[in-house]
């Protein structure tokens, strides 16, 4: 037999659940009354301790669409939607992209004063791509709208307990105020007097549609896997059921930037560029290690910018290869020079001429190689920043500077290959030829 009968206290506050047979027994003994086929309300005469040995006091209040009304609050409706097991459950849709504010309010609950409760529900949507939305839960005591509790449910001001299929589970804790001092003159001085607090809940939505559906007590979901959006940090808004995929498709407004399809393509492009950039560094991560974005996700990037950054990464990788070839030619020239000085067949006159000429050349080449190496390190850092940065942070000027840096590196490599190294190698060739003749 299942505990499927809801039990409330005399004020209608949820207490727990019990077995149907036990519920009938409580009603028969005058300790409770049936509210409906699946709910009983304990009478004031019932001994709470006697019943709560069987029904655990949880103090949860659950969202129930039938207990909410909309008044003249704008765009709002009750409707059936799919639950997680594909069964139908009645939820609420509130607000719209172009609606100023929409508000839905619950029935009035009579809750025990100075007592902790939790309001439990599933929420979807409530955010737009500009961050200008309003998505709130309000808890109003004694109909005092000006002194209510306000909970912001957007932008992770309050973190949900669980993510599932685009929905977020919330259990909002609150404590009812202590009304004894305020009502001291009107409450009879009777021991054990219980003061009830008129409590009402309200959802407020503005500039973004939101949806709410009922939830069970949090322990029911303790074995559920948390499933946050894999691109959460890349998108300007969270999942919204008004879209088929939860976000605008690639052909809809904004979809070219943060639809799932667009972001997967962009992530693949950036990871490919990152592998090339890492592959060119001395302390580079191997391709197997992958690339992890460390800064703001490039959610606002367009294809042109991503292609330019990838092209810069390719150019720097090619320049580093050229730099390594130049280093090898430099080392080879240095070895040839050392052998020339150690060759006993080379005359003192040739050695002196070689030393005077080559000493300054090797010094200049050493400084130039060090300069190129430093610029390559700077280029690697700039590419890393570009790959981790948003379009706003990168800016057109910064990307231009990165491309100019690549141009400068290519020019310096050209000069070393076409002038400095060739003249050095030609001089060594002539020295070696003269020494053989001598």
């Amino acid at each position: 037999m299942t505990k499927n009968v809801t039990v409330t206290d005399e004020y209608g506050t949820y207490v727990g659940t019990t077995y149907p047979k036990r519920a009938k027994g409580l009603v028969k003994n005058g300790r409770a009354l049936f509210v409906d086929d699946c709910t009983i309300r304990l009478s004031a005469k019932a001994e709470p301790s006697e019943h709560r040995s069987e029904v655990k006091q949880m103090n949860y209040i659950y969202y129930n669409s039938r207990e909410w009304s909309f008044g003249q609050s704008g765009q709002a409706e009750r409707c059936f939607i799919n639950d997680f097991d594909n069964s139908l459950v009645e939820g609420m849709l509130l607000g719209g992209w172009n609606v100023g504010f929409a508000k839905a309010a619950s029935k009035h609950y009579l809750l025990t004063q100075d007592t902790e409760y939790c309001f439990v529900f599933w929420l979807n949507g409530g955010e737009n791509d500009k961050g200008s939305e309003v998505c709130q839960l309000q808890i109003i005591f004694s109909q005092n709208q000006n002194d209510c509790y306000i909970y912001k449910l957007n932008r992770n001001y309050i973190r949900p307990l669980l993510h599932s299929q685009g929905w977020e589970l919330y259990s909002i804790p609150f404590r009812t105020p202590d009304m004894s001092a305020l009502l001291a003159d009107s409450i009879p001085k009777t021991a054990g007097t219980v003061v009830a607090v008129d409590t009402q809940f309200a959802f407020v939505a503005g500039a973004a549609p939101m949806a709410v559906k009922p939830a069970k007590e949090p322990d029911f979901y303790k074995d559920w896997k948390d499933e946050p959006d894999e691109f959460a940090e890349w998108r300007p808004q969270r999942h919204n059921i008004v879209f088929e995929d939860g976000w605008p498709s690639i052909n809809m407004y904004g979809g070219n930037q943060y639809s799932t399809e667009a972001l997967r393509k962009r992530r693949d492009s950036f990871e490919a560029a990152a592998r090339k950039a890492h592959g060119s560094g001395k302390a580079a991560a191997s391709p197997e290690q992958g690339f992890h974005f460390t800064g703001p996700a490039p959610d606002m990037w367009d294809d042109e910018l991503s292609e330019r950054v990838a092209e810069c990464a390719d150019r720097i990788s090619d320049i580093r290869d050229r730099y390594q070839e130049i280093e090898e030619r430099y080392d080879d020239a240095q070895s040839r020079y050392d052998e020339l000085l150690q060759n006993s067949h080379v005359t003192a006159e040739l050695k002196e001429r070689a030393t005077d000429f080559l000493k300054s050349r090797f010094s200049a080449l050493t400084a130039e190689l060090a300069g190129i190496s430093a610029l390559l390190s700077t280029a690697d850092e700039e590419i890393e920043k570009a790959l981790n940065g948003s379009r706003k942070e990168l800016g057109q000027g910064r990307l231009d500077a990165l491309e100019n840096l690549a141009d400068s590196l290519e020019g310096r490599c050209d000069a070393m290959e076409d002038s400095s190294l060739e003249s050095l190698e030609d001089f060594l060739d002539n020295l070696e030829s003269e020494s053989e003749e001598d």
Side-chain angles (χ1 to χ4, degrees), residues 206-260:
M210 60 179 281
V212 183
K213 68 179 180 180
K216 298 179 174 62
E217 62 187 69
D219 280 349
F220 177 85
Y221 306 102
K222 63 182 179 181
D223 295 326
W224 285 34
K225 181 181 179 181
D226 191 33
E227 299 174 340
D229 172 28
E230 62 177 318
F231 297 113
E233 294 184 359
W234 293 40
R235 305 194 214 253
Q237 68 189 55
R238 64 189 171 198
H239 186 285
N240 198 307
I241 61 172
V242 301
F243 301 114
E244 181 179 1
D245 184 39
W247 294 273
S249 67
I250 197 168
N251 296 319
M252 298 174 66
Y253 170 77
N256 63 319
Q257 295 178 348
Y258 56 87
S259 67
T260 300

Side-chain angles (χ1 to χ4, degrees), residues 222-350:
K222 63 182 179 181
D223 295 326
W224 285 34
K225 181 181 179 181
D226 191 33
E227 299 174 340
D229 172 28
E230 62 177 318
F231 297 113
E233 294 184 359
W234 293 40
R235 305 194 214 253
Q237 68 189 55
R238 64 189 171 198
H239 186 285
N240 198 307
I241 61 172
V242 301
F243 301 114
E244 181 179 1
D245 184 39
W247 294 273
S249 67
I250 197 168
N251 296 319
M252 298 174 66
Y253 170 77
N256 63 319
Q257 295 178 348
Y258 56 87
S259 67
T260 300
E261 181 181 356
L263 287 175
R264 281 179 178 158
K265 288 181 179 179
R266 192 156 296 128
R267 180 180 63 184
D268 292 344
S269 172
F270 272 77
E271 287 182 346
R275 283 193 294 270
K276 291 177 181 178
H278 279 309
S280 67
K282 292 183 179 179
S286 66
E288 291 77 11
Q289 289 177 289
F291 179 76
H292 302 283
F293 293 104
T294 58
D299 53 331
M300 301 303 290
W301 278 59
D302 56 28
D303 292 337
E304 179 186 355
L305 284 178
S306 61
E307 288 174 3
R308 287 177 67 186
V309 174
E311 182 181 348
C312 281
D314 284 338
R315 290 178 65 188
I316 298 301
S317 179
D318 292 340
I319 291 169
R320 187 171 289 280
D321 291 339
R322 290 181 63 188
Y323 171 77
Q324 291 174 349
E325 292 176 1
I326 291 171
E327 275 192 320
E328 290 175 0
R329 289 175 65 181
Y330 171 84
D331 292 340
D332 182 60
Q334 183 75 51
S335 298
R336 289 174 63 188
Y337 170 65
D338 292 340
E339 290 176 1
L340 189 67
L341 294 181
Q342 295 172 7
N343 190 340
S344 58
H345 298 290
V346 178
T347 64
E349 180 186 353
L350 281 177

